[in-house]
Amino acid sequence: MMSSEVYAELRPELFSSKSRSQSLDRAMDLGLAEDHFSRPVGSFVASDIEQLKMAIEECKRLILELPEHSERQKDTVVKLIHLRLKLQELKDPEEDEPNLRVLLEHRFSKEKSKSVKQTCDKCSTIIWGLIQTWYTCTGCYYRCHSKCLNLINKPCVRSKVSHQSEYELSICPEIGLDRQDYRCAECRTPVSLRGVPSEARQCDYTGQYYCSTCHWNDTAVIPARVIHNWEFEPRKVCRSSMRYLALMIPRPVLKLREVNPLLFNFVEELVEIRKLRQDILLMKPYFITCKEAMEARLLLQLHDRQHFVENNDMYSLQDLIDISSGRLSCSLTEIHTTFAKHIKLDCDRCQAKGFVCELCKEGDILFPFDSHTSVCHDCSAVFHRDCFYDNSTTCPKCARMTERKHDDPPEPKDN
């Protein structure tokens, strides 16, 4: 990569003097061997930088002169890289910058990778890891040059996620450029739809307009379009919305039963997932009282969707995306089968907690998550579905409990 950059910068001026080549070697060796950091910061003299510049120029010319792909040419390219790094260190003596900096709730960590090419989120230019120091926020992954850190005016998106864990559920709530005073909604740069002085780009999540520095035409699935239209086509969003949606995507903050209950009437996959989740919640009491299940850590099979073992009505955006693609149905069905096998076949303790239908007193042992059973809402007794519907006047277990309550003498009151 560096050699192609070198070729692009050079003029086709070649030289073949042996003495000149020897002087180049001496200049490069001097430039690499000199310990510039043995002197205090700020005490570099002009000859240091000039000497390195001369070695770099001679090295660039020698690369063009040497045979293509020869070992000597490759060695010279490596020397050129080291010389440029040395020059950059002399020009930017702030290499001792802290490894961690906190700014506007960002926690910036100094990157050590020198081979990754990134784009600065502040100035929108390329970060050359080989010769530039750069930082990444460990919370929202905002990247920028070290020289751009003090220019940042955008707070960390993760703080917004922590304090406001909810989505905008109106589809592209546009207010118009005039309400924004024809300025970017984030940095307040003047914008217009004509692109003068800067192009106005709309974020489909917030509905507002942004400049090209704050809106890079990134795309993301919009929660409001999913909930209201069951639409998963990625739409263009600004940088801050992209980061916010990326951090929010695994969070179970969508209560579909309240936001759009009619969605279950039109999306069969949602009904299937809801039934599987209801069954898993019915299986949970078996596992938390079963030593074998706890040792096997069966419930940890849902560690990435912990809310599935806590409730059956909260969904994350990632859940809905996986439901639409069919991935969640496959994985959850497999986990459901594993759980049911443990309770009904593998574990004697769990089998002993099954039910016998008290209405017909026939058939196999029943469990509340079986598809052909019904559960009494008052006492949680389990019956065959057909039996309970046909004899739905009174639950036998509830009747016994009521009768026992009436037969028990009242406790004496304290005087």
Side-chain angles (χ1 to χ4, degrees), residues 57 192 251:
E57 290 303 319
S192 73
R251 290 178 172 251

Side-chain angles (χ1 to χ4, degrees), residues 119-121 124 201 212-218 237-239:
T119 302
C120 177
D121 282 304
S124 303
R201 298 177 178 178
S212 57
T213 301
C214 300
H215 193 316
W216 294 5
N217 287 329
D218 300 298
V237 295
C238 66
R239 295 291 289 175

Side-chain angles (χ1 to χ4, degrees), residues 8 74 147 152 170 201 266 286 303 349 364 384 396 403:
K74 293 178 182 178
K147 64 183 181 180
I152 294 174
S170 299
R201 298 177 178 178
F266 298 95
Y286 290 85
H303 66 92
R349 287 193 181 93
D364 299 330
H384 289 112
E403 183 178 354

Side-chain angles (χ1 to χ4, degrees), residues 272-289:
E272 177 188 359
I273 296 298
R274 181 175 61 181
K275 178 63 171 67
L276 290 172
R277 291 183 62 177
Q278 290 171 346
D279 288 350
I280 287 173
L281 287 178
L282 293 172
M283 296 176 185
K284 180 180 176 180
Y286 290 85
F287 293 146
I288 60 179
T289 57

Side-chain angles (χ1 to χ4, degrees), residues 6 48 132 134 137 214 233 281 284 293 348 409:
V6 170
D48 295 325
Q132 292 177 317
W134 57 292
C137 175
C214 300
E233 180 183 354
L281 287 178
K284 180 180 176 180
D348 293 335

Side-chain angles (χ1 to χ4, degrees), residues 218-281:
D218 300 298
T219 59
V221 175
I222 308 301
R225 294 185 181 275
V226 172
I227 292 174
H228 296 296
N229 299 341
W230 200 242
E231 177 190 335
F232 293 87
E233 180 183 354
R235 302 286 181 135
K236 292 181 179 180
V237 295
C238 66
R239 295 291 289 175
S240 58
S241 293
M242 183 198 68
R243 292 193 189 89
Y244 180 76
L245 293 174
L247 292 173
M248 284 287 291
I249 196 170
R251 290 178 172 251
V253 297
L254 297 172
K255 198 167 187 176
L256 297 185
R257 189 173 59 187
E258 293 183 359
V259 180
N260 185 9
L262 294 179
L263 199 59
F264 290 92
N265 296 338
F266 298 95
V267 183
E268 295 180 2
E269 296 90 341
L270 274 175
V271 178
E272 177 188 359
I273 296 298
R274 181 175 61 181
K275 178 63 171 67
L276 290 172
R277 291 183 62 177
Q278 290 171 346
D279 288 350
I280 287 173
L281 287 178

